Structures are given as structure tokens and as C-alpha cells.
Amino acid sequence: MNPHLVQKIVGFVGLATVVPILASAVIYFLLPRQSRYHGIAAVLASTISLLLIGYCARIAPDQPILVSVPWLWGDAANFGVGVYMDRASLFMALMVCVVAWLVQIYSLGYMQDDLGRYFALMSLFLGTMLGLVLAPNFTQLFVCWELVGFCSYALIGHWFDRPSAADAARKAFVVNRVGDAAFLIGILMIWAGAHSLGLSELRSQWQHSIAQTSTATLIGLLVFCGAIAKSAQIPLHVWLPDAMEGPTPVSALIHAATMVAAGVYMLCRVHWLFTGDALQVIAWVGLVTAVFAAMVACRCWDIKRVLAYSTISQLGYMMLAVGLAVPAVAMFHLVTHAFSKALLFLVAGVVILLARREQDLRRLGGIARREPVLYVLFLLGALSLVGLPPFGGFYSKEMIVAAASKTARWMFCVLIIVGSALSGFYITQLSVSVFHGTERSQVSRSIGVRWKLMIMPALGLGLLSFASGWMGWYEVFGGANADLETAERDWISSMREPLLHLTGVGSLNIVAVLVGALTALLVQARGYYLNRVGPTPIARAIENAFYIDQIYHVVIGGIYNWLTRITSGMDALVIRGMVPELLRSTFDLTGRLLRGFQVGDVRAYIATSMFVLAVILWLLIRKLHLNV
Amino acid sequence: MNLFYFTAFPPLVLAGLIFVLGDRHRKAVRCLVGLGAIHCLLVGLTLPILYSLAGAKTPANWKFVAEIWFLNNSGLGINGKFGLDGLGVTMAMLSGVVGGTALLTALLESDRPRSYFALFLIMVGGLFGAFTSLDLFYMYVFHEFALVPTFLLMWLWGRTPDKKCQALQTAIYLNVGALLILVGLIWVRFLPGVASFDVTALSGVNVAGADTFGAKFVPWMLMAGVGILSTVWPFHGWAPGCYMTAPVPAVMLHAGVLKAFGIYGLFRLASVLGLDSTSCLVHMVSWLAVANIVFGGLIALQQKNLNLTFAYGSIAHVGIVLLGLCGGTEMSWTGAIVAMLANGIWAALAFGTVGALEARFKTSEIPTLTGLGRRAPWLASMLVVVGFAGCGLPGFLTFVGEVLVLLGAWEIPQLRLQVIFMAVGVLVVAAVYLLTVIRNTVHGPADHIKCVEIPWVERIPTFILAGMLLLGGVYPYGVVKMGSSFERPRRFTGASLVHSNGEGAQWEKLEAISSGLLKSSK
């Protein structure tokens, strides 16, 4: 490897990570409070990062590059900051930069008059997300993991006057912290067992050191807990639907495309960590989450909540792919999902602005007639999301299905098909309620000059989500397609081959999606949810996500409350009550006792003196006796 | 450079001058206090640089050793020796920074009589003297210089109606602790193997195996005394009342720096008392540390007053330092030292911010302080810094201390359960109560739209403290390198108890997991 090339790449990538963080500091400290330069600075920084990362992704050599400097301790390899670049991390960083750049341009239009800390936090998020993606060791990974969690908190709470937004921000951070605690304990166990935290070094020596011991599964599960929290899997999924309180571009960037994908990315990065048992658990958790979230999405009445549960569901599919030991497929699905979901969120944002902040499905409609471009963009995203060919989502989902059908478990395939049907249902329900039918709420004529700023990025994402299946994303993440010859591959063959080699389960999948879509159309036509008297208990349970949130609030919140009350009570009563009381009464009693000797009774004085004299005489006589 | 005349002497001289000047020259008094504040900040910020640059060392990492002849008394074994090692320079830095900002905060308060400022200068001088002293006796003397003014400040200028009662309670409780420490320190002088009060000679001594009553009893007594002074559970009862009542700069100094003094003493005496991971005292203390962290965080959630919330928060942070001490490895001790620095700055920032809130809004009750994000943006951002630094967000120095303690203590298998509790306590419990504080004060609707603008002069103390937390968090290597250059007691080789049969303990030496930090300077 040419050392100059390495130096150049390392420099550029380091710059790409640091520039957004510097821009964030400049915006926060130097620029005046509400100024359009916030957005310009942020977009400039993300453009620089995008160009640098894009360039490095092109010229990077095949071997990984690892550089770190001491940060937390002298041992830079384990406790330093730096970059670890191989194809997977560079292209993940590229995806993050592309989506972040497009969303920030969109934000210039969306967040026009409403700035606060928004762009500073978005820039900080981009820098720390890149730091996470390019982390060379668990230390930097954990540090950036926490920092993106903080950015998410601050951006969800952007409108912190609203109690619901403030509560949602706190919930997001605390739930993520629960997963992070388990993650940290897993990191500690890796440190103690393997004596190393560097990702590339651990990969090479994992097999010899820990993989054979009994704690390997436990370590894998603890590390997975971090991903459960970050990627909103059951049981720590409760923060993501509430996170929709934040501005829509935040939901698009952070809670659809990048931060929640960080959990999946981390699992793919360290997939050699997991034993077979741990992978089983990961696969089941992912699958159950996928189906559960898809079910709940079918009965959500808020645009962003539907998309949130849809994100949880798709993340479940990615976890399933990790659990099936095909991490390249998980990364592929991550990328196709990122493009399509970000697009859906951006379109939803425009719809919300058009409808004057109305987000309820039951009160929207007819937008397709007003803004056909918007409808086309929505369709691009929706078709990719459910996985219909030739859109990007089809290729990644097809690979997950293929991997699942190779295992002996038919339950996997059944649940995947059920999930696909449900996804067809909810996306069609969303599309029809929002875009078709009669206009049930007032829709603005136009949103002025912001339109171009918001539609251009959406168009970009539309193109990407259409083409992501055959752009070559799978190959850069290390996937090797056995069906295709490695020599002559171009995008046409990438597009065509999976269709020709469609398995039985794969075609069942597509059929299921269409069935789900048809059901949704039927339900809409019959106006089921408009005309019925009231939803059945089951429907209501699904609507409330099986009351998991409420159960947590009552049970965990109740236990925690009880604990705090007991400890405060004990503190007040025993420690701050009894201990000083004990001291005080000791002094008091001693004083009273001693006072008894000083009452002025001469006879008592004489008696005491006689007694003491007698004791002294006795002691003297004893001493004399002994001496004699 | 004579350490004593550079650090401890000037504040005491300034205090004397202020007493001499009297109340008629208010402006001169304030100038002197400002001078004192600048001196403190200068010492706090330049001493680490000078320390890192100083090449020549006396053996065992002690730098700038100086002897003050008129403080010597070789008959009793007292030496007026002053010097620094990594631990000392970190604590001196903490005293300087927190002392300087506390003096600035005192200056910014409305007109106070001269004794108010003089007492603070005595406190700061005492702190510098305590941390630079290499003699146990003078450590204690200077510590008393720093401690006693707190009682006077509480009695005369307390913030609550029951200030006299609180001052009495705090005074008695803390004096019991100081008494235990005094008796303990004098007893240490007479333990087998100890020749004088000199700290530099202590690292070779270890009385843990000795059979005398003193060797067995003194560690427990000292631990009780330190526990009272450093708010270790269950001896923390005096702290909430004290931090509510004492004037803000006094609380900043006390909660920030003075509290760390007890544990600093334990670090100095760790080798003499045999406080490594095998002693059962240390095992019990590690569970007390866990109690600090967990109970402190739980109780803080219940409080309705910001002062009390942060009081319990600082009590919780003591647990981190204590667990680092119990770990006994190089990494955990360094983590504990960095944590002392970080949590001291954090406590000063927290109480300074609450003081500013009280000055503007005349209350520190949480229910009445909502929507600060819109009403007082600067104070709100300080509260957010306090909140996230308190729960160990990376990017702040507090994270560095905590994670080094966790990593270091994990190397000792017997402490792993405690480390798990600490991880949960620091990551989850602390986040819950701190984010609840932010939710209830900073977030939420602002009913009274009156926006309070803090003039830039008043922002300086909190800005310095927050800036140090942030700078230390963004590039911690310098602070870590500085804090880790201490003499590890010769018995502490990361050994862990493997077998213990009737004849005694067998030691197994663990390999160093983390490479030594200062190969060149050792």
C-alpha cells in the first residue's frame, strides 16, 4: 500500500469527521441566534464531508486502514480515537453522508423560521455518526454511540415547550441508556477476556481466545442489548414512536436512516462475536419485532407513527438477517431501507406542512390531485419499502427471504410472509388515506419558495431508492452473489438476475404484499374504520401497541418509584434522623450523668472523695504487696 | 519555585490584609479578593503545565519538593515539606479552578462584609496547603483551615431560616469525623514501620500484616472519619442540609474540593493501611461505594429543591471515586483521581448555577422553575451541561473518570458485581434523575415570558467550569497522563487473592492488562 495514499485517505476521512463537529461549534458559539447562516454553514460542512468521503470511497485500497491516536489512555489501539476504514465502513459512511446532506438541504426549507439549536445539533450528529461508523475500537464506538444518543435527545426535544416533546426526549435517552449499560458491561467482559478492544485485532484473535468459553454467548447477548435499544427492537422499542415529536427531517435522518441503523451496523461489524445461540436469539427478536411492529402500524392514525412502526419492523428484518449469519444482506437492507424510509419521511413532512400540521390519517386526503409530484415520490418510497421489483427494497428483502428459506425453520418464512402482507396493508392504507379520496382538511395552495428546497432532496432520494437494488451496495458490504458470474456484472444483470432466480418463498412474499395491499383497499372502500361503532378490544390493543408502553410505565415506573421512596424514607428516618439523634442523645445523657456529680451536695462530695481515696490506697497496698 | 509560597501562602496573606483593612475600604477589599481569585485560577491552570514540563524529579515522582524550615519539628516527626505528584497536582488544579470561580462568585454577590471574603481566602489557602503538603500533620492542619470557615459562613450568612441549627449540626457531625481522622493520623505515626508524618516515606510501609491492635483498628477508624467527611453512605446525613444552607461559594468549595480531601487522604495512606483489593475493609467499602451511587441517584429523584438534588448527586459521585480507590489497579486509581477532579468541577458548576438561579428567581424549588429554556437560556444551557456531565456523557471529563474506574476495577474479579451495579447506577439511575431535573426545569412551557438576561460578567465563573469539563472531555489524554503519575504503593501490583488457607493469603500476580502509561518518566 502506498503510504502517501494512506496518509491522504486518513487525512481526508479524519477531516470529513471533524469538519461537521467544528461547524456545529461555530454555529452554536459564534453565529447569532436566529440567522440563516446556520443552515448554510451546516450544509457546507456536510457537502465537504460528502465530497471527501465519496472521494476516499473511490480511491480506497482493498486492504483495511487502521489509525488511532491516544485519547483515553496511553494504549491507542484500545483506548484511542481514529479511523478504521474498509469497504464496509467507507460505504456506510458514504450512505450516511448522502442522506444527511439531502436531509439538511431539505431542512433549509422545512425549518426556515424555527432554528434554535437545530443545525448545530444536526452537524454534531453527522460528525459523531461518522465517528461511530469509522470507529477502530469499542471505546470510540461507545463514545460516539452515546453522543448520537444525545443529539437524538436534543433534536427530539427541539420544541421543548411542548410537554409531549420534552417527555419523548427524556424517554428516548433513558431507554437508550438501559441498553447502553448492558452494552458497556459486555465491553468490559470483552476487555477482561480478550485483553483488547480494537475491532480488527479482536476479529483475528476472537476464535482463539474467547469463542470457546462459556461467556461468549453472554458477551454476544450483552452487546446485542445495546443494539436492541439503539435499533428499537422489542422490548426497548418504546422510544421510537414517541420520538416522532421531533421535526420531520430529524425523524428522516436520525430515526429512520442512520442512528437507528447504527445498531444493525454495529452488529454487522462485530458479527464474529456471536455464537450460534446468540444468533438464534437475535434472529427471533428481530422477527418477532418485525411482525409485531407491522401489526401495530396497521392501526396507527398518525402519518409519522405509521412510518415509525414501519421502521421498527424493517429494523427487525435487518436483525433477522444478522441472526441468519448473513450480515452483508443486513447491511444491504439497511441501505435500501434508509433511502426509501428517508424519502417517505420527507414526503410526509411536505404533506404535514401542506395540511397545516395536520397529521391524522383520518382527516387527510386528496393530496395526489394537488401535488402529483409528491404522490409519485411517495410511491417510489412505498414500493421500495414493501419490496416490489425492480425497486431497491425487493432485492434486499429477497435475499433475506432466501437466507431464511435455507434454514430448516419454516416458522421464519411464514412470519416473514405475514410481515410482508402487513407491510403491504399499512403502506397502502397510508397512501390511500393521505393521497386519494376527498380532501378532509384544508390544504394550502402552496408553500412558496421552500418547495424547491424540499422537493429536490426528495427527488434525489427517490432515484436512490429506485436504483439502490442494482447499484452494487450488496457487493461493497462483502456480499458475494453465487448466482452471478463475478466477471461480467453490470447493473442490468444485477437487476434481472434475482428476478429470474426467484424462489418459491420469494414469489409467495410478493403475492403476500399484493394481498395485503388489496385488503387495505377493500377496507378503505368499505370505510370500515370510519363507519363502525367502535374498535374491538383486539383492535384497540393493537392500536396501543399491546399496551407495552403502559405496562412499562406502571410496572417499571412503579417499582422505581417505590425504590426511591423507600431509600428516601430510610435516609430521612434513619440516616438523617437517627444518627444525629444518636449523637445528640449520647452527649445529652453523658452530660446529665456527669451533672449528677456536681449538684452541690457536700456529703456526696465527701463520700466520693473517701471512695476514691480508698481505691487509691488499695491499689498502693497491692503494689507494695507485689513488690515485697 | 517554592510550592508553599506559590500556592498556599498568598491567599492566607490576602486574608490577613483584608482583616487589617477593615470595612471602610470596601473597594480595596474587593480588589484584593479579585487578586486572590486571579491567583487561584493562575495556580490552577499553570501548575499542571509546570508539572508536565518539570523534568528533574526527586525519586518517586515527587516534584517541586520544598521544605519550610519554620514548620519543621523533627522531635515530633513533623516536616514542613511540600511537593506534588500526579494526585497532588490534580487536586491542586481542582482547588485552583474551583477556588478561583468560587471567589469570583462571592465577588459578584451583593455587598458583603470583609470577613466573608477573608473566610473564603482562608479556605482556599487551606486547600492549597492541604493538597501540596507532604506531611500528614500539616495536611490535617490545612484541612482544618479549609473546613472551619464553612461553619462560620453557614452560621452568619446561611441561606435558610434554620441556618443556625444546620450550622451546628454540620459542625458537630464534621468535627466528629475530623476527630476520628486526627486520632487516626496520630496513631498512624506510631504504627510499626512508620517513622514520621512524612508522606514520601510511607509508600514502602505496609502494616496490613502486622499484629498490633493499632494496625487492625486504625484503617477502620480512618475509614469512618473519611466517610463522614466525604459523605460516604451512611455518613452523608449532614450534606443535604449543609449544601442547602451554606452560601453558594462555600458550597462550591465544600462540595467540589473539600469533600475529596478525605479520599485524597486515603490515597496517601493506602499503602500504610494495606488498602488493596484483598482487605475485607476494602470489600465492604466497595459496597458502600455502590450504595452511594445507587441510593444517591434514587433519593435525588425525590427531591423538590435543586440544591438537594445536586447534593445527592454529588454524594452519588463520591461512590465512583471510592470504587476507583478500592480497585487498586493503576487504571482505576487514575480514574478515581480524574473523577475527583471532574466531579469537583461538576459540583461547583451545579451549585454555582443553582446560586445564579436563586439570585434571579428568588427560589430553587423545582415546581416553580419551569420553562427555563425560554426564560433564561444561559442558565438553562448550564443546567443541561450539569445534567449531561453528571450522567457521564462522553465529551465531558466526568465520563473519562467513570469509564477508567469501570475498566480498572473490572480487572479485579472480586469487584465485578460492584462494577456492574456502578455501571447501571451511573448510566441509568443518574440519567433518570438528571433528565427529570432538566425536564422539570429547562423544558416545559414558560408561563411567565419574562426573559432573564444574565450579563456576561456573571457568566464567567460557570463558563470557566463548564469549559474545563468540556475541554477535559474532548481531549482527556493530558489530564489522564498527569493524574496517573503517582507512586503506586509497592504492594499494589494488581495482585488478587486467589487462595486463602489457614496459613495466610497466597498472592497471584495478574499480568498488566493495560500497558504502563509513562514508561519514559518512571
Side-chain angles (χ1 to χ4, degrees):
Chain A
M1 253 194 304
N2 184 358
H4 289 298
L5 179 68
V6 169
Q7 226 175 18
K8 188 162 78 161
I9 293 184
V10 167
F12 280 174
V13 167
L15 208 62
T17 312
V18 164
V19 161
I21 301 183
L22 281 177
S24 161
V26 163
I27 297 176
Y28 185 72
F29 289 114
L30 294 181
L31 293 181
R33 259 303 146 71
Q34 299 276 344
S35 138
R36 16 180 268 266
Y37 291 107
H38 284 206
I40 296 177
V43 170
L44 200 65
S46 58
T47 316
I48 294 177
S49 291
L50 176 62
L51 290 171
L52 287 172
I53 296 265
Y55 180 62
C56 292
R58 273 205 64 186
I59 64 172
D62 282 330
Q63 294 143 289
I65 302 176
L66 176 67
V67 167
S68 53
V69 295
W71 186 71
L72 193 63
W73 196 246
D75 179 5
N78 296 324
F79 299 108
V81 292
V83 289
Y84 175 38
M85 291 174 284
D86 54 357
R87 303 218 87 184
S89 59
L90 269 177
F91 277 89
M92 173 78 181
L94 183 63
M95 187 275 280
V96 167
C97 281
V98 166
V99 178
W101 181 67
L102 291 171
V103 169
Q104 287 196 352
I105 297 180
Y106 178 91
S107 310
L108 284 178
Y110 193 87
M111 303 292 293
Q112 222 171 42
D113 308 310
D114 181 13
L115 287 180
R117 307 262 186 268
Y118 179 85
F119 278 108
L121 288 164
M122 286 290 251
S123 282
L124 183 65
F125 171 78
L126 178 59
T128 46
M129 186 70 201
L130 287 176
L132 195 160
V133 166
L134 297 163
N137 50 40
F138 272 111
T139 308
Q140 183 173 326
L141 185 70
F142 188 76
V143 164
C144 291
W145 191 269
E146 295 271 302
L147 282 173
V148 296
F150 167 71
C151 292
S152 161
Y153 164 88
L155 283 166
I156 295 174
H158 177 76
W159 293 306
F160 54 76
D161 319 55
R162 266 199 255 151
S164 54
D167 287 330
R170 175 176 63 159
K171 186 180 192 175
F173 195 76
V174 172
V175 171
N176 265 292
R177 269 292 170 98
V178 171
D180 292 350
F183 188 18
L184 186 61
I185 297 175
I187 293 179
L188 288 174
M189 290 178 77
I190 295 177
W191 170 240
H195 295 192
S196 165
L197 288 180
L199 292 179
S200 69
E201 194 191 327
L202 276 175
R203 179 190 196 141
S204 45
Q205 51 140 293
W206 188 254
Q207 281 301 112
H208 321 299
S209 60
I210 299 198
Q212 324 298 334
T213 70
S214 54
T215 53
T217 309
L218 181 62
I219 293 179
L221 288 176
L222 285 172
V223 168
F224 178 50
C225 283
I228 292 182
K230 193 63 90 186
S231 297
Q233 301 297 292
I234 292 180
L236 294 176
H237 64 284
V238 291
W239 65 273
L240 192 50
D242 288 357
M244 299 295 120
E245 294 280 342
T248 309
V250 168
S251 309
L253 178 61
I254 298 186
H255 302 127
T258 47
M259 188 186 89
V260 294
V264 177
Y265 172 76
M266 189 266 292
L267 291 182
C268 294
R269 209 82 166 112
V270 298
H271 65 272
W272 32 263
L273 200 65
F274 301 107
T275 59
D277 295 326
L279 286 177
Q280 281 271 12
V281 172
I282 295 178
W284 275 110
V285 166
L287 194 53
V288 167
T289 307
V291 176
F292 163 82
M295 246 197 288
V296 177
C298 296
R299 272 198 85 83
C300 275
W301 309 127
D302 180 301
I303 303 180
K304 291 180 69 176
R305 260 182 118 82
V306 173
L307 293 176
Y309 277 107
S310 165
T311 308
I312 299 178
S313 173
Q314 297 298 317
L315 288 166
Y317 281 116
M318 293 177 219
M319 291 296 180
L320 173 63
V322 171
L324 293 171
V326 280
V329 173
M331 291 297 299
F332 186 26
H333 194 59
L334 196 162
V335 172
T336 59
H337 170 257
F339 292 142
S340 51
K341 192 49 72 60
L343 170 62
L344 286 173
F345 267 111
L346 294 191
V347 169
V350 180
V351 167
I352 292 173
L353 276 187
L354 277 177
R356 312 242 177 108
R357 305 270 164 195
E358 177 58 69
Q359 291 182 225
D360 194 324
L361 287 185
R362 297 168 287 198
R363 290 201 276 271
L364 286 168
I367 308 251
R369 239 172 292 127
R370 279 201 175 269
E371 309 285 355
V373 176
L374 220 51
Y375 184 49
V376 167
L377 286 171
F378 183 84
L379 277 183
L380 279 175
L383 290 171
S384 174
L385 184 68
V386 296
L388 291 174
F391 294 90
F394 162 72
Y395 297 90
S396 54
K397 223 179 205 169
E398 167 60 27
M399 287 190 175
I400 301 182
V401 167
S405 58
K406 282 207 192 81
T407 68
R409 289 197 169 70
W410 56 269
M411 196 59 170
F412 279 177
C413 299
V414 165
L415 285 176
I416 294 182
I417 293 177
V418 167
S420 301
L422 289 170
S423 70
F425 184 94
Y426 66 69
I427 212 72
T428 316
Q429 179 172 274
L430 182 61
S431 150
V432 167
S433 339
V434 172
F435 289 98
H436 296 290
T438 54
E439 262 179 46
R440 268 166 287 193
S441 72
Q442 233 191 3
V443 175
S444 309
R445 287 228 157 258
S446 81
I447 36 184
V449 285
R450 312 201 271 180
W451 178 257
K452 279 213 204 69
L453 275 173
M454 301 207 293
I455 285 296
M456 287 299 166
L459 270 170
L461 281 172
L463 280 167
L464 281 168
S465 67
F466 177 61
S468 54
W470 19 275
M471 280 170 78
W473 284 105
Y474 179 54
E475 282 73 27
V476 302
F477 289 123
N481 206 329
D483 295 332
L484 300 161
E485 293 116 31
T486 44
E488 307 282 305
R489 291 200 62 246
D490 63 340
W491 61 273
I492 293 196
S493 59
S494 316
M495 180 163 56
R496 203 181 46 199
E497 292 300 319
L499 277 172
L500 296 176
H501 298 261
L502 200 59
T503 62
V505 186
S507 27
L508 259 178
N509 208 29
I510 300 186
V511 167
V513 168
L514 294 171
V515 164
L518 270 172
T519 319
L521 286 173
L522 270 174
V523 164
Q524 272 282 28
R526 296 280 195 102
Y528 262 133
Y529 54 78
L530 286 179
N531 293 339
R532 288 234 331 191
V533 175
T536 62
I538 294 257
R540 189 161 294 170
I542 297 182
E543 212 170 282
N544 288 315
F546 293 102
Y547 302 112
I548 292 187
D549 219 349
Q550 286 84 330
I551 294 176
Y552 279 172
H553 193 73
V554 167
V555 173
I556 298 182
I559 293 180
Y560 203 84
N561 236 336
W562 176 79
L563 271 174
T564 59
R565 262 193 258 127
I566 288 207
T567 43
S568 321
M570 181 176 67
D571 190 71
L573 201 62
V574 175
I575 295 174
R576 287 195 291 124
M578 268 172 48
V579 171
E581 197 52 38
L582 209 69
L583 262 175
R584 192 195 64 81
S585 40
T586 314
F587 283 130
D588 198 38
L589 278 175
T590 320
R592 274 183 221 264
L593 203 66
L594 290 174
R595 205 171 36 161
F597 289 111
Q598 313 287 333
V599 284
D601 187 355
V602 182
R603 279 175 294 182
Y605 289 170
I606 296 178
T608 318
S609 321
M610 290 288 118
F611 176 71
V612 171
L613 202 59
V615 168
I616 292 178
L617 278 174
W618 178 70
L619 281 170
L620 271 173
I621 293 172
R622 255 192 69 174
K623 197 157 183 252
L624 284 173
H625 259 270
L626 288 170
N627 279 355
V628 163
Chain B
M1 181 205 58
N2 192 315
L3 199 60
F4 177 66
Y5 291 121
F6 183 53
T7 55
F9 199 60
L12 297 171
V13 162
L14 283 172
L17 273 176
I18 290 180
F19 268 125
V20 160
L21 271 179
D23 264 324
R24 281 171 292 128
H25 308 274
R26 295 225 170 207
K27 244 195 155 146
V29 164
R30 292 178 85 84
C31 281
L32 285 178
V33 176
L35 215 66
I38 294 177
H39 165 260
C40 281
L41 286 172
L42 221 76
V43 167
L45 295 172
T46 57
L47 211 53
I49 302 175
L50 290 171
Y51 179 82
S52 318
L53 290 176
K57 298 175 278 307
T58 57
N61 283 333
W62 304 103
K63 297 191 190 171
F64 306 135
V65 179
E67 234 174 273
I68 312 294
W69 62 270
F70 57 83
L71 295 175
N72 270 337
N73 185 331
S74 37
L76 294 170
I78 301 175
N79 322 284
K81 236 192 196 173
F82 294 86
L84 291 176
D85 66 342
L87 172 58
V89 73
T90 312
M91 299 308 291
M93 179 177 167
L94 176 64
S95 315
V97 170
V98 172
T101 47
L103 284 170
L104 285 174
T105 313
L107 258 185
L108 290 168
E109 285 182 10
S110 52
D111 239 9
R112 297 281 200 186
R114 66 174 197 267
S115 12
Y116 186 75
F117 300 114
L119 285 172
F120 280 121
L121 282 165
I122 296 179
M123 276 180 90
V124 170
L127 283 172
F128 276 133
F131 291 125
T132 54
S133 162
L134 290 182
D135 184 271
L136 290 176
F137 178 78
Y138 279 112
M139 245 166 59
Y140 183 79
V141 165
F142 280 114
H143 167 253
E144 288 296 298
F145 271 19
L147 185 60
V148 171
T150 320
F151 311 142
L152 290 168
L153 286 163
M154 277 176 76
W155 183 275
L156 292 168
W157 294 288
R159 288 182 283 163
T160 55
D162 63 342
K163 59 183 181 181
K164 299 214 158 95
C165 166
Q166 284 294 341
L168 253 183
Q169 181 175 332
T170 310
I172 293 178
Y173 211 144
L174 284 178
N175 274 327
V176 169
L179 174 69
L180 288 170
I181 290 188
L182 179 61
V183 175
L185 282 179
I186 297 180
W187 206 329
V188 161
R189 161 85 176 80
F190 295 106
L191 288 176
V194 181
S196 70
F197 284 110
D198 195 344
V199 165
T200 55
L202 284 178
S203 51
V205 184
N206 188 337
V207 303
D211 224 356
T212 67
F213 173 67
K216 292 201 180 46
F217 183 62
V218 162
W220 294 84
M221 183 164 67
L222 272 175
M223 191 58 82
V226 163
I228 295 178
L229 279 185
S230 290
T231 64
V232 176
W233 194 91
F235 302 119
H236 64 277
W238 59 270
C242 173
Y243 296 158
M244 271 239 24
T245 307
V248 172
V251 180
M252 285 166 78
L253 274 171
H254 202 111
V257 195
L258 257 182
K259 215 156 54 159
F261 176 77
I263 306 195
Y264 167 84
L266 279 183
F267 270 107
R268 290 284 184 232
L269 292 169
S271 75
V272 174
L273 306 174
L275 296 177
D276 58 13
S277 50
T278 62
S279 92
C280 71
L281 170 65
V282 163
H283 197 77
M284 195 193 74
V285 166
S286 65
W287 279 113
L288 290 183
V290 168
N292 260 66
I293 299 172
V294 174
F295 291 163
L298 286 176
I299 301 175
L301 188 59
Q302 280 278 65
Q303 302 306 317
K304 294 278 175 290
N305 186 306
L306 270 181
N307 278 308
L308 293 176
T309 314
F310 291 136
Y312 281 105
S314 66
I315 290 175
H317 284 156
V318 167
I320 300 170
V321 181
L322 208 52
L323 193 62
L325 172 67
C326 297
T329 60
E330 184 187 359
M331 200 182 248
S332 78
W333 268 34
T334 310
I337 293 171
V338 172
M340 274 200 281
L341 175 65
N343 293 324
I345 299 181
W346 178 87
L349 178 63
F351 288 109
T353 311
V354 176
L357 275 171
E358 272 180 359
R360 294 284 159 180
F361 295 100
K362 306 289 176 265
T363 173
S364 54
E365 298 289 325
I366 295 182
T368 45
L369 290 168
T370 55
L372 287 177
R374 298 265 179 253
R375 286 157 72 188
W378 168 259
L379 290 174
S381 40
M382 283 298 119
L383 274 176
V384 170
V385 167
V386 165
F388 279 100
C391 61
L393 188 73
F396 292 114
L397 196 57
T398 42
F399 168 76
V400 177
E402 284 161 7
V403 98
L404 283 176
V405 166
L406 286 172
L407 283 163
W410 190 261
E411 293 177 25
I412 310 290
Q414 292 88 347
L415 290 178
R416 287 202 175 148
L417 190 56
Q418 286 91 316
V419 171
I420 292 180
F421 273 106
M422 176 182 154
V424 170
V426 159
L427 283 179
V428 181
V429 176
V432 169
Y433 87 82
L434 283 167
L435 261 72
T436 306
V437 163
I438 296 181
R439 163 75 182 90
N440 292 333
T441 54
V442 172
H443 292 170
D447 298 323
H448 337 288
I449 311 295
K450 180 180 88 154
C451 197
V452 167
E453 200 52 52
I454 314 278
W456 69 269
V457 178
E458 288 185 29
R459 298 189 193 188
I460 294 180
T462 43
F463 182 74
I464 295 176
L465 293 168
M468 297 225 55
L469 274 181
L470 201 59
L471 282 175
V474 167
Y475 187 63
Y477 188 47
V479 177
V480 168
K481 215 157 72 130
M482 180 180 79
S484 74
S485 68
F486 50 81
E487 167 85 4
R488 277 193 72 215
R490 240 169 274 139
R491 191 166 183 211
F492 287 44
T493 52
S496 85
L497 184 61
V498 175
H499 320 285
S500 169
N501 48 24
E503 292 119 31
Q506 308 284 334
W507 298 86
E508 188 209 46
K509 188 158 183 263
L510 292 174
E511 291 163 0
I513 295 179
S514 47
S515 55
L517 198 54
L518 293 178
K519 289 224 165 71
S520 56
S521 68
K522 270 212 159 73

